[in-house]
Amino acid sequence: MGPKPDPGEPIVGRDAELARLFRAVDSVSDDPVLMLAGDAGTGKSALLERAVRRAEAGGARALRAEGSESESNLAFSALHQLLRPVPAAVDGLPAKQRAALRDAFGEGPAASGPDLMLVGVAVLSLLSGMGDQQPVLVVLDDAQWFDRASLDVLAFAARRLDGEPVTMLIGARGGDHLPGFDRQVPVLTLGPLDDAAANQLLDLQPTRPTGRTRSRILDQAGRNPLALVELTRAAWAPDTAAGLASAGPLPLTDRLERIFAARLDDLPASTTRALLLLAAMDSADSMIAVSAGLPRAEDAAWLPAERAGLVRRTGRDVRFRHPLVRSAVYHAASLNAQREAHLALADMLRDEPDRRAWHLAAACPQPDAAVSAELEWTAARARRRGGHAAAAQALQRAAELAPRREDSARLLVEAASAAVFTGDIAWVEELVATARTRTDDATLLASAAVQAGRLAVLTVRHTVVFSRLADAAEQLAASQPAAALDLVAGAAVVRFYSGVDTQRHRIQDILRRLPANDSHAGLRTWVRAVSDPFDDRNQLVRLLPQLIAEAEARPERLISVGIMAWLLDETPQAVRAFDTALDRWELQGALPEGLGGAIGWAYVERGLWEQAREACARTTAVGRAAGLDHAVACAATVDATVLALQGDTSTARTRAEDALMLIDPLESRSVAVYARRALGAAAAAEGAYEAAYGQLRLIFTADGAPVHYHSSYPALADLAAAAVRCGRHEEAGAIVERSASALADNASPRLRALISRARGLLSDPEDAEPHFRAALADPVLEYWPFERAQTLLDLAEWLRRRRRIAEARGPLTEALEIFRRLGARPWIERARAESRAAGLDITDAAPDALAELTPQQQQIVRLAARGLTNRAIGEKLFLSPRTVSSHLYRSFPKLGITARSQLRDLMEPPLATATHQE
């Protein structure tokens, strides 16, 4: 893990930090992940090494990886370094997880690229499995230089370490952005030493500085531990001018580099060459290069460098004492010497094409078509392994080395295409902007615009992004209509997120300017459905069967058609499409699937709440890995709604508020409305109807119009139910009637039923029954079971109050059965209370025992009852098998069972045998 301090090397002034690290590795801290941040030379590596020794002395297994600048462009290199010492643990993973991990490391076929989330589950399972044998400490040093693919996977695992016998310690430069670890990871910051500690460290040096020299060292070192030590060494160098005098008014790291570089002057040529080779290579290179010409650790060439304090030899290893030494050695060499070193390493690495390509690129002083081509091949290999950031970096460098401007522009657009999957919109836009300066090719420029737009639609910058996409589409409408339509499709998604009505008009205007083309009919239909699903809804619905048939062989298109079906309130067709795509192809990818949580919402509406939460788990994992807060917020609102309906109102409220924190409610009206609906459901579940009405009222404007053209309408009945219980009949009635008038004949059967239920709740008691009956009349409404059960309960309550108790019992019984099947605890209690009032003999059925479990425990129990193993459940929910097992262990006593085999019998048949089929 980089330079290991000598056992006797002192660490002063870091007692509090060391105690915090020791608490973490001794498992007496609540934080399984801790980041150690600080500038170069503040002692991060030394402290991490002490933590490793402490853990190993306590019987833990330490896995370590050290970041290096030269490896940051090699996909999964840091992860491979971390897991290389434990091949047996990799071999012990389930077949799918093992294959995903090996594909990521380039050891498998990886025809279509590994599922990055499955790679994350594999790492989590591996760490958890090792933890079954002994505690595990994962140490990631210089993590700011880790490749992006490794960071994404390790961040995925880090977020799921609660309850695992695994601790993760991360060392990183202060101020550096570390994707995936930015939020909710406690940070221990290493600042300068205090005056007492700085002086103590100077007193411990072999030659203790005094007087004016001591004052100068303290002044120039800024109380940085490495600087204090190295400036003291420099003060007694034979050429003092190369010591303290060289420090000058430079930044501290530059001062230190100059001090280290000054020590190179009197070294033998063989030592200087060996140091330069070591500086130019990465950790994986060294294993190969030693046998191909780099001096071994015992070689006399290293002795002068060791005496100069530049390297440390440990066994068969030679390491620089600090990354700044490596940087100093490399940059002190002439450009020609650097080039020769890289060419020598490239020659040594003939059997490692990716590493060889980067060394050749480092040796290129000018454009070179052959090296550019090698980097392009490296990018292709990286993409097959899921290393999108590595692929984009290789293509960007290939573009710099391409002699022809046209090739350079093409490679930049391909780099942008790969960078899309990193979620780094600034990088994508930089690549696209550079491509525009190198070509006038209309087709290539159109492709560049589409690539930039593809990611931009997933960000929270809806107003800016919509304008860019629409402007680009208008410019390309005549010359590149296919690209223009792609851009309009993206603009339609932004229109859905933002809910701004003026955007709909602009989309329609651009569509009218695009020439009709049968091959584009499906995409035009998509744009219409997303931007305005209630404009000629019936015609759009008639097109669905043909679109589904055409998409059968392509999962991404099937997902799109499923989203259209959901937008049109054809939820059964949407769920069938999603099931087919998810089950048959097991969709994978580095970007969230679908539109704003559409998959999750369809499952919620269909009563498949576990599947909804599974979809949310994936979207959340992928969204966080790509840094896409909007996708995470969309998933959070779905999750919050299910939690509220299940009665976990506290967690539901937290999830909904998290979603609101991630977006601007005025920019992203769809997420804001969904979050308010979840908060309203949580309040209603607690019987706080004034609060529920307050939340739901916010999803309609002051004059009663919907805040969002699609997501506001399904809340009409819940708004009416809350209004009735807090005396807001008149205001709610006006909103319902305004919405009914706006939808008119384009309202779906589902929305007509919800409007009828709302009218029944708000009308005079003697006029309510026809409205409730109308809300239940269409058999298709059984596909929205929770909404149907709510209406059944409303009807039953109305009948009982009219003393038509015998008539009330049928709807009550059916409503209670649906609520029980769904696990809607607050509604179960309401239905049971109403049933007792109607004289029904209500007993505590076994499934009510699930109400004692947390929603996640309920999820796990239901999946286990369907026969899934702990590993399979973990893969679905992105949990480790240990976490699944722990939840089951805590659930069994609450369920009154002792064995897994009893779960199926415990569940009611509809619950135990639930499938996705209609």
Side-chain angles (χ1 to χ4, degrees):
M1 191 195 63
K4 296 185 179 181
D6 294 330
E9 186 173 301
I11 296 179
V12 300
R14 301 299 191 197
D15 293 347
E17 292 88 347
L18 205 53
R20 176 77 182 279
L21 290 175
F22 285 177
R23 288 199 302 274
V25 300
D26 292 344
S27 301
V28 294
S29 169
D30 293 332
D31 300 316
V33 183
L34 179 63
M35 184 179 296
L36 198 60
D39 294 335
T42 50
K44 299 183 296 296
S45 295
L47 289 170
L48 290 173
E49 177 61 26
R50 290 295 173 90
V52 168
R53 291 183 197 163
R54 172 83 167 209
E56 290 178 336
R61 173 66 189 267
L63 297 177
R64 309 188 240 184
E66 177 193 4
S68 103
E69 287 181 277
S70 61
E71 288 195 20
S72 62
N73 48 31
L74 296 172
F76 295 108
S77 57
L79 185 65
H80 188 252
Q81 184 187 155
L82 184 77
L83 301 184
R84 190 165 53 204
V86 288
V90 175
D91 291 341
L93 290 170
K96 284 172 59 178
Q97 296 179 23
R98 184 172 65 248
L101 204 53
R102 286 179 173 165
D103 285 350
F105 294 158
E107 299 168 1
S112 60
D115 182 342
L116 295 186
M117 294 304 102
L118 189 56
V119 175
V121 171
V123 172
L124 182 62
S125 297
L126 182 147
L127 296 176
S128 179
M130 290 181 63
D132 288 336
Q133 309 301 318
Q134 62 187 125
V136 176
L137 175 63
V138 176
V139 177
L140 313 175
D141 199 9
D142 279 326
Q144 75 277 358
W145 289 327
F146 278 22
D147 64 280
R148 178 60 186 271
S150 294
L151 274 177
D152 288 345
V153 168
L154 290 167
F156 173 94
R159 286 190 291 268
R160 291 159 177 81
L161 292 181
D162 283 326
E164 301 287 348
V166 180
T167 301
M168 183 179 288
L169 301 180
I170 306 160
R173 293 277 177 90
D176 281 328
H177 173 63
L178 208 59
F181 290 97
D182 294 344
R183 291 195 183 95
Q184 299 175 343
V185 173
V187 178
L188 184 59
T189 301
L190 296 182
L193 297 176
D194 60 29
D195 288 337
N199 278 287
Q200 181 187 357
L201 185 57
L202 290 182
D203 289 340
L204 290 170
Q205 298 310 303
T207 305
R208 176 176 172 270
T210 58
R212 184 168 177 269
T213 300
R214 188 183 187 96
S215 298
R216 291 184 67 196
I217 290 171
L218 286 169
D219 177 57
Q220 293 187 12
R223 293 176 293 160
N224 177 290
L226 180 68
L228 289 165
V229 172
E230 298 303 333
L231 286 172
T232 300
R233 282 176 179 260
W236 309 113
D239 181 3
T240 305
L244 284 182
S246 71
L250 295 170
L252 181 58
T253 53
D254 290 345
R255 295 184 202 175
L256 289 170
E257 281 199 28
R258 283 201 176 188
I259 290 170
F260 291 134
R263 298 178 193 168
L264 299 170
D265 293 342
D266 298 324
L267 296 179
S270 60
T271 302
T272 303
R273 180 181 182 277
L275 284 171
L276 181 54
L277 282 174
L278 189 64
M281 69 177 55
D282 57 45
S283 60
D285 288 348
S286 62
M287 300 170 59
I288 303 163
V290 164
S291 62
L294 188 74
R296 297 182 178 276
E298 61 272 18
D299 195 291
W302 296 114
L303 186 58
E306 189 171 35
R307 287 174 178 163
L310 298 174
V311 298
R312 181 176 288 118
R313 293 188 286 180
T314 54
R316 292 181 296 175
D317 235 359
V318 180
R319 298 288 183 106
F320 286 112
R321 291 187 62 250
H322 192 276
L324 289 179
V325 180
R326 175 181 183 165
S327 179
V329 168
Y330 186 80
H331 292 293
S334 67
L335 291 178
N336 192 53
Q338 291 174 4
R339 181 171 179 270
E340 289 177 358
H342 284 294
L343 288 173
L345 287 168
D347 189 55
M348 297 176 192
L349 296 166
R350 291 175 184 173
D351 296 329
E352 296 286 331
D354 296 334
R355 298 176 191 277
R356 169 183 161 82
W358 278 106
H359 282 299
L360 288 173
C364 272
Q366 57 194 14
D368 187 307
V371 177
S372 177
E374 289 214 28
L375 283 170
E376 191 173 357
W377 296 330
T378 286
R381 287 189 290 270
R383 293 190 83 163
R384 284 198 297 272
R385 294 161 54 198
H388 301 289
Q393 289 169 328
L395 288 164
Q396 186 174 18
R397 181 65 175 132
E400 293 169 358
L401 294 175
R404 299 175 65 248
R405 289 174 61 84
E406 295 81 0
D407 290 334
S408 178
R410 173 184 60 80
L411 290 165
L412 285 166
V413 173
E414 290 182 19
S417 176
V420 161
F421 294 100
T422 68
D424 189 339
I425 183 65
W427 188 16
V428 173
E429 291 177 343
E430 173 198 334
L431 291 166
V432 169
T434 308
R436 290 193 182 111
T437 67
R438 298 186 185 177
T439 185
D440 296 323
D441 186 311
T443 301
L444 200 56
L445 291 175
S447 178
V450 170
Q451 293 304 334
R454 186 180 182 192
L455 177 58
V457 299
L458 297 174
T459 68
V460 296
R461 307 179 306 165
H462 303 318
T463 301
V464 171
V465 169
F466 181 86
S467 295
R468 287 184 182 178
L469 293 174
D471 290 348
E474 287 175 341
Q475 292 170 8
L476 295 171
S479 61
Q480 300 286 327
L485 186 56
D486 279 336
L487 292 166
V488 174
V493 173
V494 179
R495 143 74 173 161
F496 178 87
Y497 292 151
S498 68
V500 176
D501 208 47
T502 54
Q503 295 176 352
R504 172 175 63 91
H505 299 306
R506 190 168 183 193
I507 287 171
Q508 291 173 337
D509 180 61
I510 298 172
L511 277 182
R512 282 192 290 268
R513 294 168 57 185
L514 292 174
N517 186 320
D518 289 344
S519 64
H520 300 159
L523 194 53
R524 292 180 74 101
T525 305
W526 158 267
V527 172
R528 289 173 55 201
V530 173
S531 59
D532 193 354
F534 299 117
D535 179 22
D536 201 3
R537 173 186 175 276
N538 292 332
Q539 183 196 18
L540 292 171
V541 169
R542 285 194 295 271
L543 294 172
L544 280 178
Q546 178 185 346
L547 293 173
I548 290 174
E550 292 172 352
E552 278 292 333
R554 296 180 59 184
E556 71 284 356
R557 286 188 59 185
L558 200 53
I559 288 287
S560 297
V561 177
I563 292 168
M564 287 172 53
W566 169 73
L567 287 165
L568 296 168
D569 272 339
E570 294 295 313
T571 305
Q573 292 191 65
V575 167
R576 281 195 293 268
F578 296 148
D579 282 347
T580 301
L582 294 170
D583 289 346
R584 188 182 303 171
W585 285 281
E586 296 182 352
L587 273 187
Q588 42 186 272
L591 291 180
E593 306 105 348
L595 172 83
I599 297 175
W601 279 114
Y603 283 140
V604 170
E605 293 167 6
R606 187 67 187 86
L608 301 167
W609 291 355
E610 279 68 50
Q611 287 93 317
R613 297 201 69 204
E614 289 170 26
C616 289
R618 178 175 184 84
T619 299
T620 301
V622 176
R624 280 179 175 160
L628 297 172
D629 287 347
H630 195 268
V632 175
C634 290
T637 62
V638 180
D639 215 23
T641 301
V642 174
L643 289 165
L645 298 181
Q646 290 178 329
D648 189 354
T649 55
S650 176
T651 308
R653 199 170 284 112
T654 298
R655 294 285 280 142
E657 289 168 353
D658 286 346
L660 290 171
M661 289 291 290
L662 290 170
I663 54 101
D664 177 349
L666 297 178
E667 277 277 292
S668 187
R669 290 172 177 80
S670 60
V671 172
V673 166
Y674 288 132
R676 297 295 175 195
R677 282 171 55 180
L679 291 168
E686 296 170 336
Y689 294 108
E690 186 76 44
Y693 184 80
Q695 292 292 345
L696 296 172
R697 181 63 185 84
L698 290 173
I699 67 178
F700 295 90
T701 63
D703 61 358
V707 167
H708 189 271
Y709 65 95
H710 183 270
S711 55
S712 290
Y713 288 128
L716 286 168
D718 290 334
L719 176 79
V724 167
R725 290 167 171 81
C726 63
R728 306 294 184 92
H729 291 69
E730 186 174 343
E731 183 180 46
I735 293 172
V736 170
E737 294 310 320
R738 175 170 180 155
S739 295
S741 176
L743 289 167
D745 293 338
N746 281 316
S748 65
R750 177 202 179 198
L751 288 181
R752 287 198 294 270
L754 290 172
I755 290 169
S756 293
R757 179 190 168 215
R759 284 170 168 162
L761 289 164
L762 295 167
S763 64
D764 293 333
E766 60 272 16
D767 300 327
E769 184 173 10
H771 296 301
F772 288 137
R773 298 290 184 188
L776 296 166
D778 193 333
V780 76
L781 300 175
E782 293 181 1
Y783 292 131
W784 290 267
F786 182 73
E787 294 170 5
R788 176 177 172 80
Q790 287 178 300
T791 308
L792 287 166
L793 182 56
D794 290 336
L795 173 61
E797 288 175 342
W798 183 87
L799 289 170
R800 186 183 64 79
R801 291 186 177 93
R802 306 275 78 72
R803 299 185 182 280
R804 294 161 61 179
I805 293 175
E807 294 179 66
R809 289 172 180 167
L812 271 174
T813 301
E814 185 179 350
L816 182 56
E817 188 279 328
I818 294 172
F819 291 141
R820 279 176 169 165
R821 175 166 59 84
L822 295 173
R825 184 179 179 183
W827 294 88
I828 292 170
E829 295 306 316
R830 271 190 59 189
R832 288 174 63 193
E834 189 65 28
S835 297
R836 284 192 293 269
L840 288 171
D841 182 16
I842 299 299
T843 58
D844 290 335
D848 280 352
L850 289 176
E852 300 300 318
L853 307 181
T854 68
Q856 187 167 67
Q857 288 171 344
Q858 292 181 28
Q859 253 188 311
I860 290 169
V861 163
R862 287 189 169 99
L863 291 171
R866 284 158 48 184
L868 274 69
T869 65
N870 288 359
R871 289 192 182 277
I873 295 170
E875 285 182 8
K876 275 185 169 291
L877 303 182
F878 303 103
L879 301 170
S880 74
R882 171 188 286 273
T883 300
V884 173
S885 176
S886 176
H887 279 303
L888 287 173
Y889 179 78
R890 293 196 296 269
S891 300
F892 282 8
K894 298 176 184 178
L895 296 172
I897 62 174
T898 58
R900 195 185 194 101
S901 59
Q902 295 172 275
L903 283 174
R904 185 177 294 273
D905 293 335
L906 178 71
M907 302 294 164
E908 290 184 349
L911 197 61
T913 60
T915 68
H916 295 185
Q917 302 305 313
E918 301 305 330

